[in-house]
């Protein structure tokens, strides 16, 4: 029971939250909500920025080092009076005046986060410390995009937020898994010690338009392979499972979490669970029935199963995903075909 309470973030704060800028309480000047999105040039971040920019009361600042993200993802906002883009690495302090911080900066694809593992840890630990320091100074609310990888290779299925996980602390994925676990710890310590308003989302594998074509994650790999007419590379054994969430559902969940009352951690993901062989069959059927499926070597510590229990998100956020995998794959196909310049064959 103690485990459940701690996982739900019931640790009491010892201090009142820091005071936000006086402009928040100004009588005559209607200030906009100033929102910082770290990692906003990336896949999820840029979709979040699109949604935040729809609200004319929001001013959005993106801070990104462009390691996996791109200005291209934000091109429609560059030059907009309510939008600012800063080339910045979150491992360095950032001085901006904001009311909310969506802290996404961190490579998400295993290929990229394993590329420079020490940098990945610095991004998760020093980057999160810096953003918490900023939140403390300006009295901002901060949301961390944590991950299903905090559950490691889970021994409980599906995973609830109360599960403490089964993570290898010294493996090749640890820079990310353990990095995010420390980031969660820092969030709760700043909350308890300094009264910072925190929100933690545990995101499950998310897919959709605008993913890097060479991102290396399974959905983008299979879709690009199917469009190019290449074999779909299922890593062994192929029976490992994942739950895939469409990006629009994810953004909706993150915004509800930020603007709600619950600190989290809260699982945000789609509970539909598929083996990688099933995913390959779906992609093949929907996108290119002529491609073959080939079995390839897997990487160390690949989790065997993952499925979110989203009871808490339903209860406290009134959130659940709307887009089923087969619909989401088709939406993503259109975007990938455009970027790969391979139009759909029309039936003769
Ligand atoms: N997409 C998923 O399936 C998934 C699942 C779980 C958690 N998440 C988390 O969500 C967040 C966004 O994921 P994504 O899929 O959009 O990944 P992404 O790689 O497309 O985006 C990450 C962004 O962060 C930037 N970045 C990386 N290191 C940085 C640094 N040190 N300083 C500043 N910017 C930096 C990158 O350039 C990129 O724009 C990440 O924190 C990731 O861990 C994603
Ligand atoms: O070409 C491929 C790529 C991957 N895979 C398999 O597909 C499964 C999913 O792999 P992905 O690379 O998409 O990523 P994972 O689900 O392991 O991690 C993902 O979800 C949790 C997030 O925190 C991570 O940031 C995200 O990358 C793995 O079992 C992997 O072995 C293939 O079968 N073929």
């Amino acid at each position: 029971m103690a485990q459940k309470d701690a996982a739900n973030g019931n640790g009491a704060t010892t201090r009142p939250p820091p005071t936000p800028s006086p402009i928040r309480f100004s009588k005559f000047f209607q200030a906009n909500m100033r929102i910082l999105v770290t990692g906003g040039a990336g896949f999820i971040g840029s979709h979040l920025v699109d949604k935040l920019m729809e609200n004319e009361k929001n001013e959005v600042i993106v801070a990104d080092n462009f390691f996996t993200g791109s200005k291209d993802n934000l091109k429609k906002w560059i030059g907009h009076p309510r939008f600012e883009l800063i080339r910045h690495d979150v491992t360095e302090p950032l001085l901006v005046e904001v009311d909310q911080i969506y802290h996404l900066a961190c490579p998400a694809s295993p290929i990229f986060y394993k590329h420079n593992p020490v940098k990945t840890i610095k991004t998760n630990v020093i980057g999160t410390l810096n953003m918490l320091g900023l939140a403390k100074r300006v009295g901002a609310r901060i949301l961390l995009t944590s991950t299903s990888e905090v559950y490691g290779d889970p021994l409980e299925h599906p995973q609830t937020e109360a599960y403490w996980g089964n993570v290898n602390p010294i493996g090749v994925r640890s820079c990310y898994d353990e990095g995010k676990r420390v980031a969660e710890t820092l969030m709760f310590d700043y909350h308890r010690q300094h009264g910072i308003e925190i929100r933690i989302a545990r995101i499950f594998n998310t897919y959709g338009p605008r993913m890097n074509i060479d991102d290396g994650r399974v959905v983008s790999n299979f879709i690009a392979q199917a469009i190019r007419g290449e074999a779909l590379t299922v890593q062994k054994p192929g029976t490992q499972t994942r739950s895939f969430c469409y990006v629009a559902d994810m953004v909706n969940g993150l915004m509800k979490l930020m603007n709600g009352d619950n600190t989290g951690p809260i699982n945000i993901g789609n509970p539909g669970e598929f083996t990688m062989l099933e995913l390959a069959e779906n992609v093949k059927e929907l996108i290119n029935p002529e491609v073959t499926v080939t079995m390839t070597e897997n990487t160390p510590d690949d989790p065997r199963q993952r499925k979110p229990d989203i009871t808490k998100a339903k209860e406290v956020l009134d959130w659940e995903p709307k887009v089923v995998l087969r619909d989401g794959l088709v939406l993503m196909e259109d975007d990938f075909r455009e970027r790969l310049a391979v139009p759909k064959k029309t039936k003769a």
Side-chain angles (χ1 to χ4, degrees), residues 39 41-44 64-69 88-90 104-108 123 145-147 176 180 203 205-206 217:
F43 161 54
I44 298 178
D64 201 298
N65 71 353
F66 304 119
F67 174 49
T68 51
H88 179 81
D89 196 302
V90 291
L104 280 72
C106 180
T123 296
T145 49
S146 185
T147 169
Y176 184 78
K180 290 282 187 182
I203 298 181
N205 199 317
T206 301
R217 277 176 278 186

Side-chain angles (χ1 to χ4, degrees), residues 3-73:
Q3 175 165 341
K4 191 164 197 283
D5 285 350
N8 290 341
N10 289 344
T13 61
T14 52
R15 295 190 177 216
T19 324
S21 155
I23 217 162
R24 287 282 117 233
F25 311 107
S26 134
K27 205 164 167 193
F28 302 107
F29 178 67
Q30 277 297 303
N32 284 351
M33 177 70 87
R34 300 157 307 174
I35 305 171
L36 171 66
V37 182
T38 73
F43 161 54
I44 298 178
S46 62
H47 284 279
L48 174 65
V49 168
D50 288 351
K51 199 73 198 163
L52 293 171
M53 286 295 294
E54 279 176 18
N55 183 342
E56 289 186 3
K57 290 257 167 232
N58 289 341
E59 280 175 22
V60 177
I61 302 172
V62 165
D64 201 298
N65 71 353
F66 304 119
F67 174 49
T68 51
S70 150
K71 282 184 198 166
D72 231 32
N73 290 336

Side-chain angles (χ1 to χ4, degrees), residues 277-312:
L277 280 165
E278 284 168 345
L279 176 68
E281 284 311 320
N282 274 289
V283 169
K284 182 176 155 126
E285 186 192 326
L286 290 167
I287 298 177
N288 185 354
E290 284 161 25
V291 291
T292 55
V293 172
T294 177
M295 301 301 293
T296 61
E297 285 312 309
N298 206 334
T299 51
D301 291 343
D302 185 45
R304 279 162 294 180
Q305 52 181 4
R306 263 204 217 132
K307 172 186 163 102
D309 181 322
I310 59 164
T311 310
K312 189 171 171 186

Side-chain angles (χ1 to χ4, degrees), residues 67-68 106-117 120 147-149 171-177 205-206 211 214-221 235 242 244 298-303 306:
F67 174 49
T68 51
C106 180
S109 166
I111 289 184
F112 288 93
Y113 71 61
K114 289 191 275 192
H115 169 73
N116 183 347
T120 301
T147 169
S148 54
E149 296 218 14
V172 291
R173 293 176 88 105
S174 313
C175 58
Y176 184 78
D177 306 7
N205 199 317
T206 301
M211 278 181 98
D214 300 312
D215 179 271
R217 277 176 278 186
V218 68
V219 180
S220 46
N221 273 7
Q235 292 174 352
R242 291 294 187 275
F244 299 105
N298 206 334
T299 51
D301 291 343
D302 185 45
R306 263 204 217 132

Side-chain angles (χ1 to χ4, degrees), residues 184-196:
E184 288 197 12
T185 308
L186 283 168
M187 293 282 286
F188 266 94
D189 282 339
Y190 265 75
H191 174 59
R192 284 183 288 252
Q193 197 174 332
H194 300 298
I196 304 294

Side-chain angles (χ1 to χ4, degrees), residues 136-288:
K136 182 178 160 205
R137 182 177 64 80
V138 298
R141 180 178 293 182
I142 178 167
L143 180 150
L144 170 75
T145 49
S146 185
T147 169
S148 54
E149 296 218 14
V150 299
Y151 301 124
D153 190 8
L155 305 176
E156 280 185 19
H157 197 72
Q159 294 80 52
T160 68
E161 293 84 353
Y163 179 48
W164 285 357
N166 176 38
V167 178
N168 176 359
I170 55 166
V172 291
R173 293 176 88 105
S174 313
C175 58
Y176 184 78
D177 306 7
E178 296 287 24
K180 290 282 187 182
R181 286 166 69 97
V182 175
E184 288 197 12
T185 308
L186 283 168
M187 293 282 286
F188 266 94
D189 282 339
Y190 265 75
H191 174 59
R192 284 183 288 252
Q193 197 174 332
H194 300 298
I196 304 294
E197 291 191 0
I198 58 159
R199 304 287 183 266
I200 298 177
R202 289 189 180 149
I203 298 181
F204 284 65
N205 199 317
T206 301
Y207 70 98
R210 221 181 263 165
M211 278 181 98
N212 279 330
I213 286 169
D214 300 312
D215 179 271
R217 277 176 278 186
V218 68
V219 180
S220 46
N221 273 7
F222 285 1
I223 292 189
Q225 288 161 345
I227 291 173
R228 289 169 168 149
E230 298 165 2
L232 309 187
T233 52
V234 172
Q235 292 174 352
K236 290 174 191 168
T239 48
Q240 70 272 35
T241 65
R242 291 294 187 275
S243 301
F244 299 105
C245 186
Y246 189 67
V247 65
D249 283 333
M250 178 56 56
V251 164
N252 184 12
L254 294 178
M255 289 173 65
K256 281 195 160 188
L257 174 60
M258 175 64 103
N259 296 307
D261 295 327
N262 198 287
T263 58
I266 298 191
N267 289 338
I268 309 210
N270 190 320
E273 185 185 9
F274 299 85
T275 68
M276 294 312 103
L277 280 165
E278 284 168 345
L279 176 68
E281 284 311 320
N282 274 289
V283 169
K284 182 176 155 126
E285 186 192 326
L286 290 167
I287 298 177
N288 185 354

